[in-house]
């Protein structure tokens, strides 16, 4: 649950610029968090050099890949249905290969490949460079499987293609894996231990984006706040580093500061943060730079210290509240968002009330809220009985969503009567005559197009709002406009 899942993007098939000499067709579809969508860009880049152009037409594909998520049972069931659909088409086109990538690949490798025989190959999140060899294995009739988790793979040497990009915003991965071992989460088992990417390769990727006209970058990882580069290797092995490695190490605050300083005409966001790893230096860096967006996704999962301990969240309710106090003190105009799980094993009515009161205290602008879904292989699944009845989970989830919607409206209303900076990303869904973009606090903002264009930084005077959207009129370009 540490990664934000955009329900509007689930199952998006991805297409990029076609290489003239490539003769084979790749259909690649992504589910789950933004890390999966980012990984699909890496896969498309690798396969582009193997003769594959992407297509949105499943029927014409030579190779079909689905990049999967194991965070929730719903995501796994959706992928299973898609695999059935792929195989119906494969019966008409026997030459078509089907492969599963990502987190489900690691978790269900033998089931997919050997027992159910519904795929030709299974590729884990650290094995994408092995795709050319695995495709040869399929051609030669061998099982094609690589789900080995790496200690050092970060794909820092691969320039991702930007699939269906708006040419304005992009994601740049800076860490892979996670060491936190939350009891409800499969990520450490499906994506491995935490390691950070060489900062030089990150800056080079952002430089390339800047030269191509991109205006905003989101630094991406399971837990960006624990980014630590000391020459390579796992985060947990940092204590064995030499004195020189420790003296020249780069942490997340330093990386963020370097990005904002090096590219003053680009905006920066990051996701996801873990409360126990967010240090004061990161908050100070956000406050220091105008071009670092005033928005933090700060998952908490529960407002009850007892439940947080059962989740192995490594912070208490009081510690989380103290962190929020410090953030608001240094960045008064910040927006915060949450991940919340309701109905975790042993959760009582009192625990639920603690969650609601924490939400009232923090005043989140947005939220990503789920009923607990037991994930096989996690510590919670092995050690804790899923003992909260479904109807109770549903009612508590309704309580949380209702409260968040109320607070979201109140938080969005604070912008009415102010002028905000907006980066234009696309035409508004509600009108062809309006632009849509986000302000620094990550709130969607719509306004008449006039003579502005996608990629412009515009000052917008806010006249009205809904709980999720600001409505206004552009009054000129912002100082960020180059």
């Amino acid at each position: 649950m540490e990664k934000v899942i955009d329900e509007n993007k689930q199952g998006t098939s991805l297409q990029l610029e076609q290489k003239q000499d490539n003769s084979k067709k790749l259909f690649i579809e992504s589910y789950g968090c933004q890390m999966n969508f980012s990984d699909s860009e890496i896969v498309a880049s690798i396969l582009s050099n193997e003769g594959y152009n992407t297509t949105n037409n499943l029927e014409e594909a030579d190779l079909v890949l689905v990049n999967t998520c194991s965070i929730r049972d719903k995501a796994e069931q959706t992928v299973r249905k898609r695999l059935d659909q792929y195989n119906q088409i494969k019966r008409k086109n026997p030459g078509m290969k089907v492969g599963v990538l990502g987190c489900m690949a690691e978790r269900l490798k033998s089931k997919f490949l050997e027992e159910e025989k519904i795929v030709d190959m299974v590729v884990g999140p650290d094995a994408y460079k092995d795709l050319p060899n695995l495709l040869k294995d399929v051609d030669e009739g061998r099982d094609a499987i690589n789900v080995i988790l790496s200690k050092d793979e970060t794909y820092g040497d691969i320039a991702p293609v930007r699939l269906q990009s708006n040419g304005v915003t992009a994601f740049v991965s800076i860490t892979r894996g996670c060491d936190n071992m939350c009891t409800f989460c499969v990520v450490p088992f499906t994506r491995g231990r935490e390691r950070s990417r060489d900062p030089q390769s990150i800056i080079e990727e952002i430089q390339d984006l800047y030269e191509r006209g991109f205006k905003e970058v989101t630094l991406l990882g399971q837990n960006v706040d624990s980014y630590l580069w000391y020459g390579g290797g796992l985060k947990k092995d940092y204590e064995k580093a030499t004195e020189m490695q420790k003296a020249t190490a780069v942490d997340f605050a330093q990386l963020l500061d370097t990005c904002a300083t090096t590219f003053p005409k680009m905006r920066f966001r990051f996701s996801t943060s873990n409360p126990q790893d967010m240090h004061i230096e990161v908050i100070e860096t956000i406050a220091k730079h105008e071009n670092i967006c005033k928005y933090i996704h700060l998952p908490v999962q529960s407002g009850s210290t007892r439940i947080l301990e059962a989740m192995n969240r490594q912070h208490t309710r009081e510690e989380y509240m103290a962190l929020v106090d410090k953030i608001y003190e240094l960045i008064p105009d910040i927006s915060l968002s949450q991940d919340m799980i309701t109905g975790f094993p042993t959760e009582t009515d009192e625990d639920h009330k603690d969650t609601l009161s924490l939400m009232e205290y923090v005043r989140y602008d947005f939220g990503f809220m789920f009923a607990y879904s037991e994930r096989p292989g996690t510590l919670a699944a092995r050690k804790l009985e899923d003992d909260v009845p479904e109807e109770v989970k549903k009612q508590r989830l309704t309580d949380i969503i209702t409260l968040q919607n109320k607070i979201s409206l109140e938080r969005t209303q604070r912008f009415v009567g102010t002028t905000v900076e907006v980066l234009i990303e696309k035409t508004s869904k509600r009108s062809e005559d309006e632009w849509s973009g986000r302000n620094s606090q990550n709130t969607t903002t719509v306004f008449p197009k006039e003579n502005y264009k996608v990629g412009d930084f515009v000052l917008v005077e806010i006249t009205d709002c809904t709980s999720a959207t600001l409505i206004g009129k552009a009054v000129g370009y912002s100082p960020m406009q180059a």
Side-chain angles (χ1 to χ4, degrees):
M1 308 295 291
E2 286 304 301
K3 305 162 291 174
V4 178
I5 293 175
D6 185 344
E7 299 293 356
N8 296 323
K9 287 188 175 179
Q10 299 305 293
T12 305
S13 63
L14 305 170
Q15 187 161 16
L16 64 136
E17 207 171 298
Q18 308 289 290
K19 274 191 183 176
Q20 197 169 350
D21 295 337
N22 285 359
S23 58
K24 292 176 280 190
K25 297 286 188 184
L26 164 68
F27 180 93
I28 184 166
E29 203 168 64
S30 301
Y31 293 85
C33 69
Q34 193 55 56
M35 281 294 290
N36 278 6
F37 287 80
S38 180
D39 279 0
S40 290
E41 295 180 340
I42 290 167
V43 169
S45 182
I46 291 167
L47 291 177
S48 176
N49 295 327
E50 296 296 316
Y52 286 89
N53 280 335
T54 51
T55 177
N56 282 332
N57 183 355
L58 182 59
E59 280 77 11
E60 71 176 12
D62 300 291
L63 173 61
V64 176
L65 298 175
V66 56
N67 202 339
T68 61
C69 173
S70 277
I71 280 286
R72 284 183 284 158
D73 183 60
K74 179 184 173 187
E76 288 198 0
Q77 297 310 317
T78 302
V79 168
R80 282 189 169 281
K81 287 176 187 169
R82 284 302 279 158
L83 287 170
D84 287 341
Q85 291 166 347
Y86 295 162
N87 279 286
Q88 287 172 21
I89 293 167
K90 189 173 180 177
R91 283 192 277 276
K92 302 175 194 169
N93 178 13
M96 187 176 92
K97 303 183 188 84
V98 175
V100 170
L101 312 176
C103 295
M104 268 179 85
E106 206 289 325
R107 203 175 78 70
L108 297 172
K109 47 192 178 289
S110 56
K111 207 170 186 60
F112 281 159
L113 197 64
E114 294 155 15
E115 293 174 34
E116 299 180 20
K117 300 188 187 302
I118 53 175
V119 297
D120 299 297
M121 65 180 180
V122 176
V123 191
D126 290 346
Y128 298 142
K129 285 181 185 171
D130 199 30
L131 274 163
N133 296 325
L134 294 170
L135 286 166
K136 283 181 191 166
D137 287 342
V138 175
D139 287 338
E140 293 167 12
R142 295 190 295 272
D143 283 349
I145 180 169
N146 186 342
V147 293
I148 296 169
L149 292 173
S150 168
K151 291 183 178 181
D152 49 22
E153 182 60 80
T154 64
Y155 299 108
D157 57 333
I158 295 198
V161 295
R162 301 295 164 181
L163 298 164
Q164 289 189 337
S165 168
N166 57 11
V168 176
T169 62
F171 290 87
V172 173
S173 294
I174 66 168
T175 71
R176 297 184 74 82
C178 186
D179 288 348
N180 283 325
M181 303 303 287
C182 300
T183 59
F184 55 80
C185 187
V186 296
V187 166
F189 307 106
T190 59
R191 285 187 170 269
R193 299 306 295 259
E194 193 173 294
R195 63 269 188 205
S196 298
R197 182 176 161 191
D198 174 4
Q200 186 59 38
S201 73
I202 295 169
I203 297 300
E204 286 171 1
E205 185 174 334
I206 296 171
Q207 179 69 44
D208 175 63
L209 290 166
Y210 178 73
E211 290 171 359
R212 288 160 56 193
F214 284 78
K215 301 295 179 69
E216 183 180 285
V217 163
T218 300
L219 304 175
L220 202 62
Q222 256 75 32
N223 183 10
V224 290
D225 293 281
S226 63
Y227 174 90
L228 183 64
W229 172 261
Y230 61 98
L234 297 177
K235 170 80 180 286
K236 73 179 181 67
D237 293 335
Y238 176 68
E239 60 189 36
K240 302 174 190 170
T242 65
E243 290 306 311
M244 178 59 77
Q245 285 176 315
K246 288 180 179 177
T248 56
V250 177
D251 66 13
F252 183 56
Q254 291 167 311
L255 176 68
L256 194 57
D257 185 72
T258 299
C259 291
T261 304
T262 308
F263 304 100
K265 293 298 184 182
M266 292 183 88
R267 278 204 317 200
F268 289 91
R269 302 182 186 274
F270 56 89
S271 184
T272 292
S273 295
N274 241 18
Q276 72 268 20
D277 295 309
M278 175 163 272
H279 303 300
I280 185 68
E281 290 83 4
V282 172
I283 304 168
E284 290 171 342
T285 301
I286 299 168
K288 172 182 163 186
H289 291 282
E290 285 293 323
N291 61 329
I292 300 178
C293 291
K294 305 304 181 265
Y295 166 67
I296 301 173
H297 182 58
L298 198 64
V300 65
Q301 313 301 359
S302 173
S304 161
T305 292
R306 190 184 71 80
I307 294 295
L308 290 171
E309 185 177 355
M311 290 176 166
N312 193 33
R313 288 293 289 167
Q314 300 170 48
H315 63 82
T316 64
R317 168 192 176 91
E318 291 72 25
E319 287 167 339
Y320 185 89
M321 291 162 76
L323 173 62
V324 167
D325 289 344
K326 180 57 70 174
I327 292 170
Y328 278 132
E329 178 191 330
L330 293 179
I331 318 167
D333 59 341
I334 196 85
S335 283
L336 300 177
S337 61
Q338 44 88 342
D339 284 351
M340 205 71 77
I341 301 172
T342 189
F344 190 78
T346 78
E347 185 185 71
T348 65
D349 286 341
E350 283 304 310
D351 296 321
H352 177 55
K353 286 175 186 173
D354 281 349
T355 293
L356 296 174
S357 68
L358 180 79
M359 292 172 66
E360 290 276 17
Y361 184 87
V362 177
R363 312 294 291 167
Y364 297 104
D365 287 62
F366 320 104
F368 301 88
M369 298 148 286
F370 311 101
Y372 173 69
S373 165
E374 186 176 88
R375 309 310 297 126
T378 61
L379 191 63
R382 296 199 305 271
K383 302 283 189 183
L384 299 173
E385 182 187 350
D386 186 4
D387 60 355
V388 180
E390 283 303 314
E391 61 269 21
V392 175
K393 287 183 187 177
K394 286 178 183 174
Q395 183 54 57
R396 289 177 183 169
L397 181 59
T398 299
D399 293 344
I400 289 170
I401 291 171
T402 301
L403 177 57
Q404 184 57 62
N405 287 342
K406 172 180 169 287
I407 295 171
S408 292
L409 177 59
E410 292 166 2
R411 292 291 289 164
T412 307
Q413 285 171 335
R414 80 188 196 271
F415 294 110
V416 175
T418 70
T419 299
V420 302
E421 180 188 82
V422 177
L423 173 59
I424 301 175
E425 296 179 30
K426 59 189 177 183
T427 295
S428 167
K429 286 180 182 174
R430 70 177 197 170
S431 171
E432 284 291 320
D433 299 322
E434 291 182 331
W435 288 126
S436 174
R438 287 171 296 158
N439 68 354
S440 178
Q441 289 80 5
N442 206 39
T443 307
T444 298
T445 307
V446 297
F447 56 94
K449 284 184 172 179
E450 299 182 72
N451 295 321
Y452 300 104
K453 63 184 186 301
V454 168
D456 283 346
F457 285 104
V458 179
L459 294 172
V460 179
E461 192 176 282
I462 304 304
T463 56
D464 200 358
C465 72
T466 67
S467 64
T469 306
L470 298 174
I471 301 160
K473 179 174 171 47
V475 292
Y477 293 105
S478 90
M480 281 286 287
Q481 185 74 6

